[in-house]
Amino acid sequence: MPNADVNGLTIAYEEYGNPDGAPLLLVMGLGGQLVDWPPEFVELFGDRFRVIAFDNRDIGLSSETTGPMMTPQQYFKSRLTRRAPAAGYLIADMADDAAGLLDHLGIHSAHVVGVSMGGMIAQTLAFRHRSRVRSLTSIMSNTGNRRNGQAAASLMAKAARRKPPTRETALEDVVETYALIAGPERDEARLRESAEASIARSWRPQGTARQLLAIHASPDRTPDLRTITAPTLVVHGLVDPLVKPSGGVATAKAVPGSRLLMFPDMGHDLPRSRWVELVDAITRNAARDDRSLGAALVS
């Protein structure tokens, strides 16, 4: 698997699709690896795009950092306070990693799609590196304002009582977490197969804890979201208990000219039955920027 030297780190990445297509950068969420993008989902982009997926810092095969961490239990308890904790890095630094990866690949600008924490990174990339983002798709994310897009109280209570996973219990922990946050169309057999492959590739709970702290320590993005000029699509599930739908609504409200797509059967996951519709929406949003390529992208 290729690597890029970015901001003093090694970032692992993979490319799919058409090398001559419009660049499309996929940004994964908290603790997620590039292999967690379902291959069948990526294939739906066909030959219209040069798709790039990567491991964020501290996850997968990318560099592991050192610094303070935050467990899920600490995270949910900390929601009761307003004080931002000290962190080794912020969402802005992870957005800089994404920009550095584009530099490594010789890509001046790309269409950017992010899920959950990846949506936060994608949003930040769109206002921090404005010229690098052709279009933005933010999925099941929020603005960083604690008044919107927070976890349901019942979910926070359950998470606070759970024990930290070990290597031996990691698979069951993923399955149990998915049962709490996914929508009604969850496929446990497929999840187990995917999770087993991910854990075998890399298991870094401390990296996830540092990423979680980065989320919590990062400031409200709302003022900066108002400056985004890239065509923006916001996607959210109406039954998402981890990032409640108000996060998507607030994001769409903040970004000028954005479009909001909400699925009634989507939780904090990407339901297979919505993949075609989602890829079509992402492609049409990309075509809002690539006017000369619009017909090719949406055909």
Side-chain angles (χ1 to χ4, degrees):
M1 180 166 293
N3 294 315
D5 293 327
V6 174
N7 299 328
L9 304 170
T10 296
I11 299 296
Y13 68 93
E14 190 62 87
E15 295 193 58
Y16 313 91
N18 182 359
D20 298 319
L24 177 71
L25 186 68
L26 299 178
V27 191
M28 184 44 72
L30 176 68
Q33 303 180 51
L34 66 86
V35 294
D36 292 326
W37 291 101
E40 303 93 335
F41 174 78
V42 175
E43 288 171 2
L44 288 173
F45 288 105
D47 61 1
R48 293 165 293 187
F49 294 98
R50 173 187 178 186
V51 181
I52 303 111
F54 67 102
D55 292 331
N56 286 305
R57 62 167 70 187
D58 263 330
I59 290 299
L61 304 184
S62 290
S63 289
E64 186 170 8
T65 72
T66 58
M69 297 175 285
M70 174 175 273
T71 67
Q73 291 78 13
Q74 292 170 333
Y75 174 79
F76 288 119
K77 289 178 181 178
S78 73
R79 304 309 294 177
L80 300 175
T81 71
R82 293 183 177 272
R83 187 175 62 182
Y89 56 85
L90 302 174
I91 293 296
D93 297 300
M94 302 177 82
D96 290 348
D97 293 345
L101 176 59
L102 294 180
D103 287 337
H104 172 84
L105 294 170
I107 297 173
H108 177 264
S109 61
H111 302 287
V112 182
V113 177
V115 295
S116 196
M117 180 190 74
M120 303 172 192
I121 296 169
Q123 294 169 15
T124 306
L125 186 65
F127 62 71
R128 188 174 173 89
H129 300 275
R130 195 177 310 277
S131 66
R132 313 305 300 272
V133 179
R134 298 188 192 185
S135 72
L136 166 66
T137 300
S138 176
I139 304 173
M140 52 189 173
S141 193
N142 60 30
T143 65
N145 186 316
R146 296 190 185 183
R147 294 186 179 89
N148 65 71
Q150 300 306 303
S154 59
L155 179 63
M156 288 193 287
K158 291 175 182 176
R161 293 193 297 267
R162 296 182 67 190
K163 296 180 180 180
T166 65
R167 183 89 187 201
E168 291 70 28
T169 64
L171 177 59
E172 292 307 317
D173 183 75
V174 171
V175 173
E176 291 171 8
T177 299
Y178 190 67
L180 291 173
I181 65 175
E185 196 193 308
R186 61 179 182 268
D187 184 337
E188 184 174 322
R190 176 179 287 270
L191 172 67
R192 283 182 176 276
E193 181 180 355
S194 174
E196 284 178 343
S198 293
I199 293 168
R201 180 175 183 261
S202 175
W203 185 67
R204 292 184 181 176
Q206 292 183 334
T208 300
R210 281 187 282 268
Q211 289 185 348
L212 188 62
L213 181 55
I215 293 172
H216 189 61
S218 293
D220 179 6
R221 291 178 295 282
T222 304
D224 290 312
L225 291 176
R226 297 193 180 107
T227 71
I228 290 177
T229 56
T232 298
L233 170 68
V234 179
V235 181
H236 219 103
L238 288 174
V239 291
D240 187 340
L242 183 60
V243 181
K244 293 173 72 174
S246 59
V249 173
T251 302
K253 184 177 180 180
V255 180
S258 63
R259 297 177 177 178
L260 178 62
L261 175 62
M262 305 188 83
F263 293 124
D265 53 353
M266 175 175 163
H268 203 73
D269 61 343
L270 296 175
R272 188 182 184 91
S273 64
R274 296 293 184 175
W275 287 357
V276 171
E277 189 174 354
L278 179 56
V279 168
D280 180 69
I282 292 170
T283 301
R284 291 182 181 279
N285 185 60
R288 293 170 64 194
D289 173 77
D290 281 338
R291 302 294 180 176
S292 62
L293 299 177
L297 285 174
V298 301
S299 62

